[in-house]
Amino acid sequence: MTTSFGAATTSAALKDAKLQIPNFHGLRPATASSLTRNALPLPSSTRSLVITRAVSTPVQPETTTVKRSKVEIFKEQSNFIRYPLNEDMLTDAPNISEAATQLIKFHGSYQQYNREERGSRSYSFMIRTKNPCGKVSNQLYLTMDDLADQFGIGTLRLTTRQTFQLHGVLKKDLKTVMGTIIRSMGSTLGACGDLNRNVLAPAAPLVRKDYLLAQQTAENIAALLSPQSGFYYDIWVDGEKILSSEPPEVVQARNDNSHGTNFPDSPEPIYGTQFLPRKFKIAVTVPTDNSVDVLTNDIGVVVVTDEAGEPQGYNIYVGGGMGRTHRVETTFPRLAEPLGYVPKEDILYAVKAIVVTQRENGRRDDRRYSRMKYLISSWGIEKFRSVVEQYYGKKFEPFRVLPEWEFKSYLGWHEQGDGKLFYGLHVDNGRIGGKMKKTLREVIEKYNLNVRITPNQNIILTDVRSSWKRPITTTLAQAGLLQPRFVDPLNITAMACPAFPLCPLAITEAERGIPDILKRIRAVFDKVGLRYSESVVVRITGCPNGCARPYMAELGLVGDGPNSYQIWLGGNKKQTSLARSFMDKVKLHDLEKVLEPLFYYWKQRRQSKESFGDFTNRMGFDKLKEHIEKWEGPVVAPSRHNLKLFADKETYDAMDELAKLQNKSAHQLAMEIIRNYVASNQNGKGE
């Protein structure tokens, strides 16, 4: 008989390390009469079972046992992600135990310490919010801004999954910070941990049926897969009930157990005691708009409309993921692939079926192989689809034809479609601090603006009246938040993870190193004769886990040692092509030895309008390496005119002050502005 552990199970039973999880043999629906949604019959091998077993309901050991990772045991013994975190939070120690360190991730926090300090460790916590679609209310933004100053390191960081990260919070302040976020109608629940993370959607507040549906769908999926057992509120607000309403279709889809997806009578009907094998990522978008890097997610959902623009249903991709381990070839980044199409009313049931398939079959013994991409890679898409259909209760319809994808940044001023404007602002690496932070807050507070965070670490101000456009533009420009035509094109698409000094996984620099690396790439562009308006997608991470999605970049730098990077080439600007490993152990000071011949070769041998990523794929890596080995430098061009840019000291001082906000010299910023002005007018795009 199956033994199921609920919240009331005694601590002695919960701590019995001998309990093992058996192989999964299938789930049965509650009753035959409950198959109400055009159900497919379950396989005969499943129908004939008497015992229902699932990986999230531990049973007594049988003759064979299944190895589990340490984190699986922590989850099993935690009383639904409470113990021992609840006890550790009551101590005066500046840090928490190993088990609590894993559990607090489910609450949206990571324990960290400054890796550059010698001697005793100074512990702090990173807090990550959960903001489906990147939506942030005026109240929540101002709250996060205050918390960064009062309890953090004075900066806010925008992430590649449309959330905030708040660094440097001390353990003694955690409850205050968490409670403040919750009472400001924010949340950090599930921003980390082995469950569904923040659900992405295009951040643009366009008043169009497809965009509005994509955003609503993302919010509904986030609600469907949110933990239900109350552990989050028990620890941070003493069990206080925060009133929030859910659409009835979400409640219905969560409670539906027609096809054996749920754990009846469990506080976590979808997750059970063990939650998922690893993190789970979902993005929703509309055709052509790949601002969300849709193919890098475990599930990618695409709104499908008819010729009149009326939404009809959804295409679903599955199996994307970025993380890998250096020199372990059985780990790899992977693009999602088509699963099928579902009608509009079925999307929540289809997503739930996919999640349950991963819950029941994803590996729990070795966390390096626990993401769903490895399950699909092992099974193949046909077997995966067949198993998902058993939990979905229907056959997937054929995947609908989609137009080509485009990367959309939504920077600059745009019309929303309702008479108001939105303003997309580029934020280098998503780090908001100093004068920029102060001025951004002033604008958001003065005009009572809501904001949205983009998957490219930028921010959008929404619902702006036309009469506010000029004063907002001027005020923000004075703080270094410039219109996109005044930002180096290399910076527009570049991303980096935080890495040192706080990330425990970092091998080398990323966020702190990328400003100088981009300047060096720009200098190489100048040296080999590439135009200022030309660019490549550059992404840098301090380790191979891929938080900044470097494996989709045209030029990806992945930390593989101190001041050393693995170079990946071959992604594209549309984010539809996976890069490949090109060179290992390239020292930071040797980057030009690799990049200079590559960019010169691209300039000389490319086809019309051929991007750098497409060029590297067409030429092949062997030929590129041969060119690097033979490189003796570009043909020397005639010397340039040395024009004096500043006629008076007052102008220079003003430009210098603005340039310092962007970590540039006055000369560099002036040249960027002049080049952009000339380029925009040559292209007929001047305002």
Side-chain angles (χ1 to χ4, degrees), residues 277-278 358 363-364 366-372 374:
R278 277 296 301 272
Q358 162 66 355
R363 286 182 61 173
R364 294 178 182 263
D366 188 337
R367 291 175 66 80
R368 289 179 300 179
Y369 304 104
S370 293
R371 291 289 299 275
M372 193 172 76
Y374 295 112

Side-chain angles (χ1 to χ4, degrees), residues 97-160:
S97 64
E98 181 185 4
T101 299
Q102 294 297 328
L103 299 181
I104 201 170
K105 295 176 183 180
F106 291 76
H107 297 255
S109 181
Y110 283 85
Q111 179 172 273
Q112 300 179 329
Y113 64 92
N114 191 328
R115 296 174 60 191
E116 294 178 334
E117 292 182 358
R118 296 293 174 251
S120 60
R121 293 181 177 181
S122 54
Y123 289 96
S124 65
F125 292 79
M126 180 272 283
I127 293 175
R128 182 185 295 154
T129 60
K130 203 168 186 184
N131 311 89
C133 321
K135 290 184 178 180
V136 181
S137 69
N138 179 270
Q139 177 190 3
L140 182 59
Y141 184 90
L142 299 179
T143 295
M144 296 302 297
D145 185 82
D146 287 337
L147 292 173
D149 291 338
Q150 295 171 18
F151 301 103
I153 59 174
T155 66
L156 281 172
R157 196 171 197 280
L158 313 177
T159 78
T160 58

Side-chain angles (χ1 to χ4, degrees), residues 189 223-231 246 254 267-269 271:
L189 173 60
L224 171 74
L225 300 176
S226 182
Q228 299 296 300
S229 54
F231 60 82
E246 290 182 326
R254 182 189 299 123
E268 292 292 350
Y271 290 129

Side-chain angles (χ1 to χ4, degrees), residues 13-205:
L14 284 171
K15 296 177 184 177
D16 184 358
K18 295 181 180 179
L19 289 175
Q20 299 292 328
I21 294 178
N23 291 322
F24 172 63
H25 298 294
L27 286 170
R28 296 181 63 198
T31 65
S33 62
S34 65
L35 304 180
T36 57
R37 296 177 51 255
N38 300 324
L40 290 172
L42 290 169
S44 58
S45 60
T46 302
R47 289 199 304 269
S48 64
L49 288 172
V50 176
I51 299 176
T52 299
R53 292 180 184 144
V55 75
S56 293
T57 51
V59 304
Q60 295 296 333
E62 297 179 353
T63 53
T64 60
T65 59
V66 178
K67 179 185 175 184
R68 292 183 295 158
S69 70
K70 185 184 292 186
V71 176
E72 290 299 312
I73 297 172
F74 289 155
K75 288 187 286 187
E76 178 189 303
Q77 298 175 351
S78 70
N79 188 16
F80 293 97
I81 318 301
R82 291 175 174 85
Y83 173 84
L85 178 61
N86 52 356
E87 294 184 359
D88 285 11
M89 288 303 301
L90 300 176
T91 71
D92 293 330
N95 61 314
I96 56 179
S97 64
E98 181 185 4
T101 299
Q102 294 297 328
L103 299 181
I104 201 170
K105 295 176 183 180
F106 291 76
H107 297 255
S109 181
Y110 283 85
Q111 179 172 273
Q112 300 179 329
Y113 64 92
N114 191 328
R115 296 174 60 191
E116 294 178 334
E117 292 182 358
R118 296 293 174 251
S120 60
R121 293 181 177 181
S122 54
Y123 289 96
S124 65
F125 292 79
M126 180 272 283
I127 293 175
R128 182 185 295 154
T129 60
K130 203 168 186 184
N131 311 89
C133 321
K135 290 184 178 180
V136 181
S137 69
N138 179 270
Q139 177 190 3
L140 182 59
Y141 184 90
L142 299 179
T143 295
M144 296 302 297
D145 185 82
D146 287 337
L147 292 173
D149 291 338
Q150 295 171 18
F151 301 103
I153 59 174
T155 66
L156 281 172
R157 196 171 197 280
L158 313 177
T159 78
T160 58
R161 291 202 72 79
Q162 298 183 276
T163 67
F164 287 115
Q165 282 185 176
L166 187 64
H167 291 91
V169 178
L170 300 180
K171 179 189 160 191
K172 66 182 180 64
D173 297 322
L174 268 177
K175 191 165 184 176
T176 299
V177 173
M178 291 287 208
T180 302
I181 292 172
I182 292 168
R183 293 185 178 95
S184 298
M185 305 311 292
S187 178
T188 66
L189 173 60
C192 324
D194 299 343
L195 70 176
N196 180 54
R197 302 290 187 87
N198 197 52
V199 182
L200 305 188

Side-chain angles (χ1 to χ4, degrees), residues 520-584:
R520 290 165 64 184
I521 293 174
R522 176 56 64 195
V524 171
F525 268 39
D526 290 343
K527 184 174 182 179
V528 303
L530 287 164
R531 294 189 303 274
Y532 181 79
S533 58
E534 295 182 287
S535 183
V536 298
V537 177
V538 180
R539 293 178 176 178
I540 304 177
T541 57
C543 82
N545 283 310
C547 294
R549 302 190 285 273
Y551 310 116
M552 302 298 288
E554 293 183 281
L555 172 62
L557 303 181
V558 180
D560 64 357
N563 295 314
S564 174
Y565 295 92
Q566 193 177 59
I567 294 180
W568 288 64
L569 302 176
N572 61 32
K573 297 182 186 299
K574 298 180 290 186
Q575 304 302 296
T576 58
S577 176
L578 197 64
R580 293 177 292 135
S581 177
F582 177 65
M583 295 182 76
D584 293 336

Side-chain angles (χ1 to χ4, degrees), residues 357 361 375 378-390:
T357 300
N361 298 282
L375 177 64
S378 171
W379 278 6
I381 192 65
E382 296 301 329
K383 177 178 178 180
F384 183 82
R385 182 185 293 113
S386 175
V387 174
V388 172
E389 286 172 344
Q390 294 174 30

Side-chain angles (χ1 to χ4, degrees), residues 340-646:
Y341 169 90
V342 299
K344 191 166 58 173
E345 63 274 11
D346 279 357
I347 186 60
L348 297 181
Y349 298 92
V351 167
K352 182 180 174 183
I354 296 167
V355 169
V356 169
T357 300
Q358 162 66 355
R359 181 194 76 196
E360 295 302 310
N361 298 282
R363 286 182 61 173
R364 294 178 182 263
D365 58 332
D366 188 337
R367 291 175 66 80
R368 289 179 300 179
Y369 304 104
S370 293
R371 291 289 299 275
M372 193 172 76
K373 65 180 177 181
Y374 295 112
L375 177 64
I376 296 175
S377 181
S378 171
W379 278 6
I381 192 65
E382 296 301 329
K383 177 178 178 180
F384 183 82
R385 182 185 293 113
S386 175
V387 174
V388 172
E389 286 172 344
Q390 294 174 30
Y391 291 119
Y392 174 40
K394 295 182 180 181
K395 287 281 189 182
F396 285 100
E397 296 180 34
F399 202 76
R400 302 300 196 255
V401 176
L402 294 174
E404 275 198 37
W405 292 107
E406 300 172 25
F407 169 74
K408 299 186 179 183
S409 70
Y410 296 110
L411 297 179
W413 287 102
H414 303 269
E415 294 184 359
Q416 292 182 175
D418 59 356
K420 294 183 179 179
L421 306 173
F422 69 90
Y423 189 24
L425 294 163
H426 172 75
V427 180
D428 278 339
N429 305 306
R431 183 70 68 177
I432 299 176
K435 186 176 181 181
M436 177 197 299
K437 178 174 175 292
K438 180 175 180 291
T439 306
L440 193 56
R441 182 204 172 92
E442 290 172 355
V443 168
I444 290 170
E445 193 167 29
K446 177 179 179 180
Y447 296 99
N448 195 31
L449 300 176
N450 297 323
V451 306
R452 299 200 184 175
I453 302 169
T454 81
N456 239 52
Q457 302 174 302
N458 297 319
I459 194 166
I460 293 175
L461 308 182
T462 70
D463 303 314
V464 181
R465 297 179 186 175
S466 297
S467 59
W468 299 344
K469 178 179 177 181
R470 184 181 294 275
I472 287 176
T473 303
T474 303
T475 300
L476 292 175
Q478 291 170 349
L481 286 162
L482 304 175
Q483 294 191 62
R485 69 177 185 273
F486 298 131
V487 179
D488 189 321
L490 284 170
N491 291 61
I492 291 289
T493 55
M495 291 200 299
C497 68
F500 285 132
L502 294 176
C503 178
L505 302 175
I507 304 170
T508 193
E509 297 285 1
E511 181 185 341
R512 296 192 306 191
I514 196 173
D516 183 62
I517 290 173
L518 291 176
K519 288 179 189 176
R520 290 165 64 184
I521 293 174
R522 176 56 64 195
V524 171
F525 268 39
D526 290 343
K527 184 174 182 179
V528 303
L530 287 164
R531 294 189 303 274
Y532 181 79
S533 58
E534 295 182 287
S535 183
V536 298
V537 177
V538 180
R539 293 178 176 178
I540 304 177
T541 57
C543 82
N545 283 310
C547 294
R549 302 190 285 273
Y551 310 116
M552 302 298 288
E554 293 183 281
L555 172 62
L557 303 181
V558 180
D560 64 357
N563 295 314
S564 174
Y565 295 92
Q566 193 177 59
I567 294 180
W568 288 64
L569 302 176
N572 61 32
K573 297 182 186 299
K574 298 180 290 186
Q575 304 302 296
T576 58
S577 176
L578 197 64
R580 293 177 292 135
S581 177
F582 177 65
M583 295 182 76
D584 293 336
K585 298 290 184 181
V586 177
K587 289 297 184 181
L588 181 61
H589 61 264
D590 289 332
L591 282 179
E592 282 83 356
K593 295 179 182 178
V594 177
L595 299 184
E596 192 174 291
L598 286 178
F599 290 143
Y600 184 78
Y601 198 35
W602 174 43
K603 178 181 182 295
Q604 297 297 321
R605 301 290 183 87
R606 62 187 169 182
Q607 298 174 350
S608 176
K609 297 182 180 180
E610 186 175 33
S611 69
F612 179 68
D614 291 343
F615 169 79
T616 59
N617 285 327
R618 179 173 63 84
M619 297 307 298
F621 284 5
D622 289 342
K623 188 171 289 188
L624 295 177
K625 289 177 180 177
E626 181 183 335
H627 190 67
I628 291 171
E629 291 171 3
K630 295 179 178 179
W631 179 247
E632 296 180 354
V635 176
V636 179
S639 60
R640 299 182 180 183
H641 297 291
N642 185 17
L643 300 178
K644 188 174 182 179
L645 286 173
F646 302 102

